[in-house]
Amino acid sequence: MIEYRIEEAIARYREYYEFKPARESAGIEDVRSAIEHTNLKPFATPDDIKKLCLEARENRFYGVCVNPCYVKLAREELEGTGVKVVTVVGFPLGANETRTKVHETVFAVESGADEIDMVINVGMLKAKEWEYVYEDIRSVVESVKGKVVKVIIETCYLDTEEKIAACVISKLAGAHFVKTSTGFGTGGATAEDVHLMKWIVGNEMGVKASGGIRTFEDAVKMIVYGADRIGTSSGVKIVQEGEERYGG
C-alpha cells in the first residue's frame, strides 16, 4: 500500500506539478508568528537558552527549538507565555533505532516539549525500505498522541522522487508536518523544496522550512512558496529587518 501511494504521488507530480507561489505575499506578522527561534548548537549554554526564550517572548515568535537537555529549562522560562517549546529527536542523523527515538520523544514531552521534530532515517529511505521508515515515524507519533510531530526529511540528501516518498510516508504515518532540514547537512531550505513538499502533503499537513534562512526576504519567500513555519536562529534579525524596511 505504501509503495502504491508513493508511485501514485510520483505519477501525479510528473503529470500535474507546476512550480508557482502558493500565495501573493507575506507580511511582518506572518513571518513573526511562523518563526521557531532556534538554538541547536552543540555548545549552547543554559544562558544562551534563557536569552533565546527572552527573545522569543519579546518578539512574539511561535516557539523556540532547543536540544533535548534544555526542554525543561525552556519550559520554565516560557511558562504562561504561549510560546511553544519544540525539541529534536534522532538529531541530527536520524540513524537511531526506533525505540531510541520513541524513548527520546516520551522523555521530551514529559520534560515539557509541545512539539517534536524527528529526523527521518535517511539511509533507510534511500534504500526504499518504506515499511521501516513508516514504522519509525508512526512509532514516534503514536508514543505522544496529541502532540505535534514534524518529520525532518533532510532534502539535501534526496532526489525529487525520494522527497516525494518521504512526504507520502510521513503523511501516512500520521505526522503533522514535514520539515526540510536539520541545518547540519550539506544544504538548507529552498523555495523549490518547500513548494514540492506542500504540494505533496496538501493542506492536511504543514511544512517547516529550516536551514539557511537568515533574512526577512528569505523568510517571506519560504512562506509565499508554502511554508507554515520557519526554523531559524536569525529570528530577531529577520523581524528587525522587516520592521526597518516595511514598518512594524
Side-chain angles (χ1 to χ4, degrees), residues 102 106 134 136-146 149 173-174:
V102 168
V106 171
Y134 170 82
D136 192 52
I137 299 168
R138 185 197 63 79
S139 296
V140 168
V141 172
E142 290 292 316
S143 71
V144 284
K145 280 188 175 178
V149 175

Side-chain angles (χ1 to χ4, degrees), residues 56 86 106 123 126 133 137:
V86 184
V106 171
K126 294 187 75 66
V133 176
I137 299 168

Side-chain angles (χ1 to χ4, degrees), residues 9-126:
I10 291 171
R12 187 164 58 91
Y13 162 80
R14 289 173 177 166
E15 185 168 0
Y16 299 112
Y17 180 74
E18 182 181 359
F19 179 66
K20 60 182 182 180
R23 55 191 283 183
E24 290 185 4
S25 63
I28 293 173
E29 291 308 313
D30 296 312
V31 171
R32 185 194 303 278
S33 62
I35 287 177
E36 294 181 17
H37 198 32
T38 302
N39 189 337
L40 296 171
K41 295 180 176 70
F43 47 82
T45 67
D47 284 344
D48 292 331
I49 301 306
K50 289 178 181 178
K51 180 184 178 185
L52 186 83
C53 293
L54 176 61
E55 290 171 342
R57 293 199 307 268
E58 290 177 340
N59 288 278
R60 306 190 307 279
F61 293 147
Y62 176 85
V64 298
C65 186
V66 299
N67 278 310
C69 68
Y70 289 129
V71 168
K72 187 175 180 181
L73 173 61
R75 176 80 283 148
E76 291 170 353
E77 293 293 309
L78 295 171
E79 197 65 50
T81 65
V83 179
K84 303 293 185 183
V85 177
V86 184
T87 194
V88 289
V89 161
F91 193 83
L93 302 179
N96 312 58
E97 286 193 5
T98 298
R99 59 185 173 178
T100 303
K101 290 181 180 178
V102 168
H103 181 77
E104 273 191 282
T105 302
V106 171
F107 186 76
V109 170
E110 289 176 351
S111 298
D114 297 299
E115 301 187 3
I116 301 294
D117 289 13
M118 68 167 288
V119 186
I120 204 167
N121 191 306
V122 181
M124 289 296 191
L125 179 75
K126 294 187 75 66

